Amino acid sequence: MQEKTTGLYSVKMRASREGQHISGAEKIVPARRVAAIASQLAERALSHPKGDPDFINIKVEAQPRQIRRVKALSVTTHETRTPEEGLSLAAELLAGDGITRIGEIMNRFSESHSMRGAMLLDADTLERLEPDPERGVRATYMDDASSLEKGTARGKNHYAEAIVLATKVQNAPGIVAEICVSDDPDYVTGYVASKRLGYRRITVLKKKGDPRGGRIFLYRGQRERVAETIEFLERVPVLVEDVPILSAERAGDRMLSLASDLEKRESQGLSRRCRTLCSPTGPTAVVDGRELVVLSSNDYLDLARDERVTSAAARAAREWGAGSGGSRLTTGTQPPHAQLERDLAEFKGTEAAIVYATGYMANVGAITALVGKGDAILSDGLNHASIIDACRLSGADVFIYRHLDMDDLDRKLSMCREHRRVLAVSDGVFSMDGDILDLPRFLEITRRHDAFSMVDEAHATGVMGRTGRGLAEHFGCDHPDISMGTLSKALGSEGGFVCGSRLLIDYLRNFSRPFIFSTAPGAPAVAAASAAIKALESEPQRVERLRENVATFLKELAGRGISAASESAIVPVVVGDERAAVAASAALEKDGFLVPAIRYPTVSRGSARLRFALSSAHTSEQLRAAAEAAALAVREVTR
Ligand code: PMP
């Protein structure tokens, strides 16, 4: 179908570094949107997980008035479990188009490695038909027709883009089918397409780890007309209508849009899964049948499996039940809850404390209760996600100050004189970098501006200060107005808390929605936390031992050329690239160390890292061996 469309432009972006392709995209848009799309594509090139490009080419070309519009191929997903199953399904599907030599065709992918274009093969003789086999054939000048109607270009959507491409290809004269497999060794999904079959996505079409992949277009027709096919693929603009992903709102397609987002994560090396640790929490764990040294747990003082702590939990379960059965203000407060709040206040040296079911809820609960519309929050640029979420949820004006930059905090506080209440909030120990807040300065500045001071001591409790009481003990200074912490890290249990004045705690009991509307933590977790506080009070040497371990580990790393710094129990080794960090983590695991790679969205893109978290229970020998393995792994992946 031909349709008259006036004033359309093709906008193409290509980004590379040192001649290596990083990313590319194209759009067909009306004149008025060219500038916006060009800028969005530039943004995309600059924020690609593969890294910063040194060359970005944005090309804008007017398109002919007549642009061909075609209907998107129908889409079907076939779940396969093994490459063999995927291949035999592909063979079965393509047999209906008279394509019989699928095994041989798939083997041709070894020829296409690192070629950006597709291979054009005679569907029967399998001869290559492209005039330039180094370059292949590049299907281009195509877009999803609905981009024309939509206000903004959607983010990169591999799924929709693949359907647009496959649809254009199947409309090329003489093309009978296409086979596509990603050249990413970790991405095993591919598809086969033909006019008859539509777009058949096959979840497993190659072996994990196999770097071979690409596109193969299969042609059947007169040789003299191959040039026409290539001309169509490479020059003729096509708009594809009814791309299924775009109608994601339609019932039934909702799941497709989820799958597409997941795939995007996966293709960027950012997809995440839970690992199961089949052993009690501690400095070693059994994972997939092997014992590994755990260098990433927050159980800093090895209290989660401590006999005193586990027996307190077991006793409390028998005495008070497994779950509390209600929220704190209805039927969920039992003696262990009140006891823990007294223990926490005494441990921290504040008038009172309030316990939440998690640390996340403590941050959300305190911040949203204290500030709202008309108020201001000043938040460190690297604060924990639970603080970020709390800021968003509060409805207050949020000002982000530069990480640990107290002058910037001071300046920004000066801009909040018109706000009703002002709250400055910071992690005490930053969870991804292990660096610490200058609490005395923070308190001096917030007091001078009459702002509430709040510090998240999740990673400071049990770690900072001679006896683990946190940053105030470390610096020998006052507490912030709101001293938040978790029971889930050095205290070996689970739950969150806020310590502060009696007035503050009474206020939170009355205004803090996660405290009011969520079931109270069960007595076992609560009693375990009280037992952990007692254990820590009677054995402050655990904190000392943890500090010695950090010093030992930093020295062992430095001796092997890895520079890392930390004032807490968290030692980050920044690798940068997401895939490199994952590869380093895998190498460490092979050597017997569990150190997950921390990637976007937990840390910003391009700053993926190995995050070591040490325990007082690690032995010097374990730390020396871990430093050795880390140095080898990092050297290997960053070569
Ligand atoms: N704040 C910080 C700094 C944290 O690291 C965490 C836990 N990752 C939390 C708050 C949330 O605590 P919880 O895990 O107890 O919900």
Side-chain angles (χ1 to χ4, degrees):
M1 182 181 65
Q2 303 279 312
E3 187 181 292
K4 192 163 181 240
T5 325
T6 51
L8 292 185
Y9 287 79
S10 142
V11 186
K12 288 183 168 189
M13 175 276 285
R14 221 156 25 84
S16 57
R17 190 177 53 219
E18 290 165 13
Q20 290 285 318
H21 176 76
I22 294 183
S23 68
E26 61 173 292
K27 293 268 151 209
I28 296 176
V29 296
R32 72 186 153 76
R33 295 190 47 228
V34 166
I37 294 293
S39 123
Q40 283 176 26
L41 292 182
E43 284 287 322
R44 196 150 122 183
L46 289 166
S47 60
H48 199 276
K50 277 192 197 157
D52 295 336
D54 59 17
F55 179 71
I56 304 174
N57 184 357
I58 296 201
K59 184 155 96 177
V60 180
E61 296 164 283
Q63 294 302 300
R65 284 171 177 266
Q66 306 285 332
I67 289 195
R68 185 159 165 190
R69 286 177 172 250
V70 297
K71 285 255 177 282
L73 297 175
S74 64
V75 178
T76 315
T77 295
H78 299 273
E79 298 283 343
T80 49
R81 276 158 305 178
T82 60
E84 292 72 31
E85 202 185 311
L87 214 58
S88 94
L89 175 70
E92 197 182 302
L93 291 170
L94 289 173
D97 288 299
I99 291 155
T100 49
R101 299 162 67 182
I102 185 85
E104 284 170 74
I105 296 174
M106 295 291 283
N107 278 334
R108 304 296 288 272
F109 278 127
S110 16
E111 289 168 36
S112 78
H113 194 47
S114 85
M115 177 174 95
R116 279 204 28 238
M119 208 182 280
L120 186 65
L121 293 188
D122 182 297
D124 304 306
T125 65
L126 308 194
E127 281 166 85
R128 290 189 67 166
L129 304 176
E130 320 96 275
D132 179 354
E134 289 285 297
R135 177 181 177 278
V137 177
R138 295 185 185 163
T140 177
Y141 294 105
M142 63 212 160
D143 200 356
D144 180 335
S146 73
S147 309
L148 280 182
E149 286 93 53
K150 292 236 159 159
T152 56
R154 303 180 320 167
K156 190 165 172 71
N157 184 327
H158 292 272
Y159 205 54
E161 288 179 4
I163 295 165
V164 167
L165 186 143
T167 302
K168 178 173 185 190
V169 172
Q170 291 314 311
N171 278 277
I175 294 290
V176 286
E178 179 195 347
I179 303 174
C180 173
V181 183
S182 164
D183 58 4
D184 178 341
D186 294 328
Y187 192 66
V188 296
T189 299
Y191 69 81
V192 298
S194 77
K195 271 224 180 64
R196 187 185 58 86
L197 291 169
Y199 179 104
R200 302 293 190 109
R201 181 171 174 268
I202 299 174
T203 52
V204 181
L205 193 51
K206 73 165 185 183
K207 263 203 195 68
K208 205 171 168 81
D210 186 345
R212 287 172 308 166
R215 295 179 189 281
I216 296 179
F217 302 156
L218 296 164
Y219 175 87
R220 189 175 280 138
Q222 298 168 359
R223 289 294 167 87
E224 311 77 71
R225 307 196 70 167
V226 167
E228 266 174 59
T229 303
I230 297 178
E231 166 71 12
F232 177 87
L233 291 167
E234 297 200 337
R235 294 296 322 168
V236 177
V238 168
L239 286 168
V240 179
E241 295 185 324
D242 298 334
V243 178
I245 197 74
L246 287 177
S247 48
E249 294 86 330
R250 272 208 330 257
D253 283 349
R254 286 193 293 275
M255 293 299 161
L256 209 58
S257 99
L258 305 190
S260 151
D261 285 359
L262 264 180
E263 265 187 27
K264 189 165 118 195
R265 279 269 162 104
E266 181 121 17
S267 70
Q268 297 170 336
L270 296 174
S271 128
R272 300 165 80 162
R273 285 175 187 80
C274 298
R275 306 287 309 267
T276 304
L277 278 64
C278 299
S279 44
T281 309
T284 60
V286 177
V287 185
D288 297 334
R290 287 172 68 216
E291 181 165 287
L292 304 178
V293 178
V294 180
L295 285 150
S296 45
S297 167
N298 297 320
D299 178 27
Y300 298 121
L301 301 177
D302 195 27
L303 285 172
R305 61 176 178 162
D306 186 278
E307 220 284 312
R308 293 160 290 184
V309 177
T310 54
S311 334
R315 264 198 319 275
R318 279 193 295 273
E319 196 168 349
W320 307 107
S324 70
S327 64
R328 288 290 303 280
L329 296 178
T330 58
T331 57
T333 298
Q334 295 169 309
H337 296 86
Q339 182 62 48
L340 176 60
E341 287 173 342
R342 281 194 297 276
D343 292 343
L344 281 165
E346 194 186 310
F347 176 67
K348 294 288 286 189
T350 57
E351 283 177 12
I354 177 172
V355 168
Y356 292 80
T358 68
Y360 185 105
M361 286 165 68
N363 272 331
V364 171
I367 292 174
T368 58
L370 289 165
V371 285
K373 215 166 171 317
D375 300 331
I377 303 177
L378 288 104
S379 178
D380 185 288
L382 291 187
N383 272 345
H384 187 256
S386 53
I387 297 178
I388 296 170
D389 293 357
C391 291
R392 289 180 185 151
L393 198 57
S394 71
D397 294 335
V398 180
F399 301 91
I400 308 293
Y401 63 89
R402 282 196 295 273
H403 177 52
L404 287 178
D405 185 338
M406 293 296 106
D407 293 332
D408 195 29
L409 168 66
D410 199 348
R411 250 189 318 276
K412 291 194 164 122
L413 273 169
S414 318
M415 300 175 342
C416 297
R417 298 216 173 90
E418 301 304 313
H419 289 84
R420 187 184 63 130
R421 287 182 192 164
V422 181
L423 168 76
V425 56
S426 174
D427 277 14
V429 169
F430 284 82
S431 55
M432 292 303 134
D433 294 278
D435 44 0
I436 65 172
L437 170 73
D438 180 346
L439 182 60
R441 270 251 26 229
F442 184 75
L443 294 181
E444 183 273 310
I445 294 169
T446 46
R447 277 181 193 150
R448 183 153 38 78
H449 290 277
D450 196 24
F452 286 104
S453 53
M454 171 164 176
V455 178
D456 174 339
E457 300 227 42
H459 298 276
T461 308
V463 175
M464 303 304 298
R466 195 184 60 79
T467 61
R469 284 170 162 79
L471 275 193
E473 184 186 27
H474 174 80
F475 286 108
C477 65
D478 286 348
H479 289 289
D481 297 327
I482 301 117
S483 174
M484 172 273 168
T486 73
L487 308 171
S488 59
K489 303 188 193 298
L491 294 177
S493 181
E494 60 190 39
F497 63 86
V498 171
C499 288
S501 66
R502 198 158 289 122
L503 172 70
L504 171 83
I505 302 306
D506 274 350
Y507 177 88
L508 293 179
R509 285 209 182 96
N510 284 279
F511 289 91
S512 192
R513 294 172 66 84
F515 179 81
I516 301 168
F517 295 108
S518 187
T519 297
V526 169
S530 279
I533 292 171
K534 268 196 203 79
L536 171 54
E537 280 171 341
S538 64
E539 294 168 3
Q541 62 274 24
R542 283 177 188 259
V543 185
E544 182 53 32
R545 176 92 193 109
L546 175 61
R547 226 183 312 282
E548 286 165 9
N549 275 353
V550 174
T552 304
F553 188 55
L554 288 174
K555 205 167 108 223
E556 295 287 356
L557 282 175
R560 290 167 177 82
I562 304 261
S563 66
S566 176
E567 293 178 81
S568 62
I570 298 162
V571 181
V573 173
V574 176
V575 179
D577 179 72
E578 277 72 23
R579 286 178 191 285
V582 172
S585 160
L588 274 162
E589 184 168 331
K590 257 204 200 109
D591 289 343
F593 302 96
L594 191 62
V595 188
I598 307 286
R599 293 166 281 167
Y600 175 84
T602 310
V603 292
S604 59
R605 284 187 201 269
S607 75
R609 66 198 57 189
L610 296 168
R611 176 184 177 275
F612 292 87
L614 305 194
S615 155
S616 59
H618 285 129
T619 63
S620 313
E621 182 44 38
Q622 282 170 336
L623 297 174
R624 195 200 55 74
E628 178 71 29
L632 278 176
V634 170
R635 215 165 296 139
E636 186 64 27
V637 300
T638 50
R639 258 203 318 206

